[in-house]
């Protein structure tokens, strides 16, 4: 079990007495790239927050690198996190470099200013995500894809072992999505990270990750791609067909009753 980044045993989470997650058992190997796939309201973000220690399960056990998440949160450098809305106001007057340095503040302690080393780490990460030339630009001047690269650099600024990404390509066009997925895959390999990424995009999941978790309150499938129709239909709760453009599959659902 020592090679497990995440171990979840019989996990359930309830909201207003209704199950958000139910009977989840999941092992994620250290160094793997895992995509979590499922419809809206499937509990994907809840699962991430349980791993982060932001939500306590009502039942079951959770371990991240062998420790309960609440205890692990003291070691803030172990997990980097990119939420769906990383900056409430993308036009806030702050530079790209400052955004990445924000990720270091939790490590610095109250009232301490970033050191030269902190700035070197931030600038190196901006170089790795292809944004070094934008370091002193306002974050609001960047495109959506460029902003996401900066936010990934911020998540990596804590020098984590585990990187958690919640819909990192939301609102990006197809070209920007592909570029971002390629970047994440490259960083995962280069930095020897464990990556857990939530996505609705079956094509991107199949193309870029090593393992797929199909989640809709329960886990219906956990395997390497490709995934078949049956697993998708159980996850999305309706008939599913694949529509192919080249080698990239997209989901097509038939009309169905709620």
């Amino acid at each position: 079990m020592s090679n497990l980044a995440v171990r979840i045993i019989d996990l359930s989470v309830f909201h207003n007495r209704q199950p958000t997650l139910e009977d989840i058992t999941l092992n994620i190997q250290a160094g793997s790239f895992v995509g979590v796939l499922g419809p809206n309201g499937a509990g994907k973000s809840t699962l991430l927050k349980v791993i982060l220690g932001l939500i306590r399960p009502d039942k079951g056990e959770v371990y991240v690198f062998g420790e309960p998440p609440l205890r692990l949160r003291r070691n803030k450098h172990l997990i980097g996190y990119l939420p769906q809305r990383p900056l409430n106001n993308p036009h806030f007057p702050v530079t790209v470099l400052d955004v990445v340095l924000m990720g270091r503040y939790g490590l610095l302690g109250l009232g301490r200013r970033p050191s030269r080393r902190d700035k070197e780490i931030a600038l190196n990460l901006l170089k790795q995500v292809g944004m070094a030339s934008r370091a002193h630009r306002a974050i609001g001047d960047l495109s959506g894809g460029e902003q996401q690269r900066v936010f990934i650099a911020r998540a990596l600024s804590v020098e984590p072992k585990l990187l958690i990404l919640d819909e990192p390509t939301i609102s990006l066009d197809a070209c920007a999505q592909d570029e971002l997925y390629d970047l994440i895959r490259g960083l995962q390999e280069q930095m020897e990270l464990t990556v857990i990424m939530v996505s609705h995009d079956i094509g991107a999941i199949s193309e870029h990750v090593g393992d797929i978790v199909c989640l809709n309150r329960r886990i219906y499938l956990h395997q390497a791609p490709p995934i078949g129709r049956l697993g998708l239909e159980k996850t999305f709760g309706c008939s599913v067909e694949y529509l192919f453009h080249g080698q990239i599959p997209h989901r097509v659902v038939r009309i169905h009753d709620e």
Side-chain angles (χ1 to χ4, degrees), residues 83-97:
Q84 285 189 23
R85 295 173 180 82
L87 193 64
N88 288 331
N89 180 6
H91 300 290
F92 188 74
V94 63
T95 69
V96 165
L97 177 60

Side-chain angles (χ1 to χ4, degrees), residues 132-190:
S133 64
R134 308 285 203 279
H136 301 291
R137 294 273 299 275
I139 187 68
D141 291 343
L142 306 187
S143 69
E146 290 172 332
Q147 287 183 1
Q148 286 297 78
R149 287 172 176 262
V150 174
F151 296 138
I152 289 171
R154 183 178 70 178
L156 291 172
S157 69
V158 297
E159 302 174 273
K161 292 183 179 180
L162 171 62
L163 179 63
I164 294 179
L165 308 167
D166 195 353
E167 299 275 11
T169 62
I170 195 167
S171 300
L172 300 185
D173 63 41
C175 289
Q177 287 182 17
D178 287 342
E179 290 174 359
L180 198 69
Y181 285 132
D182 286 339
L183 172 68
I184 294 166
R185 183 70 182 185
L187 291 169
Q188 184 258 337
E189 294 175 351
Q190 179 183 348

Side-chain angles (χ1 to χ4, degrees), residues 26-85:
L26 176 66
N27 290 331
I28 294 178
Q29 296 290 326
S32 60
F33 188 177
V34 177
V36 180
L37 178 70
N40 289 331
K44 302 186 299 297
S45 294
T46 299
L47 178 64
L48 298 188
K49 290 176 181 177
V50 167
I51 295 170
L52 289 162
L54 300 175
I55 292 178
R56 292 192 180 193
D58 295 288
K59 173 191 169 187
E61 301 173 65
V62 182
Y63 301 96
V64 182
F65 298 112
E67 298 280 354
L70 286 176
R71 187 182 302 171
L72 191 74
R73 285 179 66 186
R74 300 171 188 170
N75 298 322
K76 298 177 182 178
H77 64 286
L78 287 179
I79 304 178
Y81 175 46
L82 175 62
Q84 285 189 23
R85 295 173 180 82

Side-chain angles (χ1 to χ4, degrees), residues 182-201:
D182 286 339
L183 172 68
I184 294 166
R185 183 70 182 185
L187 291 169
Q188 184 258 337
E189 294 175 351
Q190 179 183 348
M191 302 176 76
E192 299 181 341
L193 296 166
T194 305
V195 177
I196 303 173
M197 180 179 68
V198 162
S199 177
H200 284 94
D201 190 338

Side-chain angles (χ1 to χ4, degrees), residues 39 216 233-240 253-258:
N216 191 351
E233 289 183 355
K234 287 182 177 180
T235 302
F236 286 91
C238 57
S239 295
V240 177
V253 297
R254 298 173 184 169
I255 297 173
H256 62 288
D257 295 329
E258 295 293 339

